[in-house]
């Protein structure tokens, strides 16, 4: 029988933190592009991550765990890097797309890590699998955007 262990709670809180970090990164990317389609894409991705975060937060709370709110040092460095790259890059949109690809790949790694946890409750596993699937789909889209840009 699957149980919600403290270790699962910690992993989900880590994933939640990175989800909110991704939301902020996508918002920043949307603010840094003049390309209408890319702006719309980044805004949709930010909203998706916002929705993912609330879904994860509700799941964590439903098992009586505390929700950690934070901003990881790694994500701050990542967003700062995106800002610097946007300022100095001759092709901001391409640089942001490359960073979005890198970020989506990192997200998939995070989801895969949490999904390896054998004590995940079925509801949590389903949420994570659905979110991971959406990220995989988005990765394909962002790679196509990079090709047409």
């Amino acid at each position: 029988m699957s149980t919600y262990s403290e270790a699962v709670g910690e992993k989900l809180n880590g994933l939640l933190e990175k989800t909110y970090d991704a939301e902020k990164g996508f918002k920043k990317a949307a603010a840094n592009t003049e390309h209408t389609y890319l702006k719309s894409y980044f805004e949709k991705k930010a909203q998706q991550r916002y929705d993912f975060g609330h879904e994860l937060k509700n799941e964590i709370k439903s098992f009586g765990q505390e929700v950690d709110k934070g901003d990881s040092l790694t994500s701050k460095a990542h967003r700062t890097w995106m800002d610097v790259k946007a300022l100095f890059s001759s092709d901001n949109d391409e640089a942001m797309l490359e960073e979005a690809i890198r970020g989506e790949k990192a997200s998939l790694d995070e989801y895969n890590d949490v999904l390896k946890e054998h004590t995940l409750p079925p509801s949590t596993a389903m949420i994570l699998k659905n979110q991971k699937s959406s990220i995989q789909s988005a990765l394909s889209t962002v790679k196509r955007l990079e090709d047409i840009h």
Side-chain angles (χ1 to χ4, degrees), residues 81-111:
W81 182 89
M82 279 189 79
D83 287 342
V84 170
K85 192 159 189 166
L87 285 173
F88 296 108
S89 175
S90 60
D91 190 345
N92 295 349
D93 292 341
E94 185 176 339
M96 287 186 290
L97 284 169
E98 288 172 5
E99 191 59 15
I101 289 169
R102 192 198 67 71
E104 295 292 65
K105 287 179 179 178
S107 291
L108 288 176
D109 289 343
E110 293 291 330
Y111 276 84

Side-chain angles (χ1 to χ4, degrees), residues 9 18 20 25 37 39 51 55 61 70 83-84 92 99 118:
K18 289 178 176 97
Y20 286 138
Y37 186 80
K39 183 179 286 293
D51 295 342
E55 198 173 18
K61 287 179 179 179
D83 287 342
V84 170
N92 295 349
E99 191 59 15
H118 295 291

Side-chain angles (χ1 to χ4, degrees), residues 9-10 13-14 16-17 20 57 60 65-70:
E10 288 176 17
N13 268 304
L16 176 63
E17 184 177 327
Y20 286 138
K57 189 165 55 171
I60 292 166
Q65 298 289 313
E66 289 291 318
V67 174
D68 293 334
K69 280 201 164 182

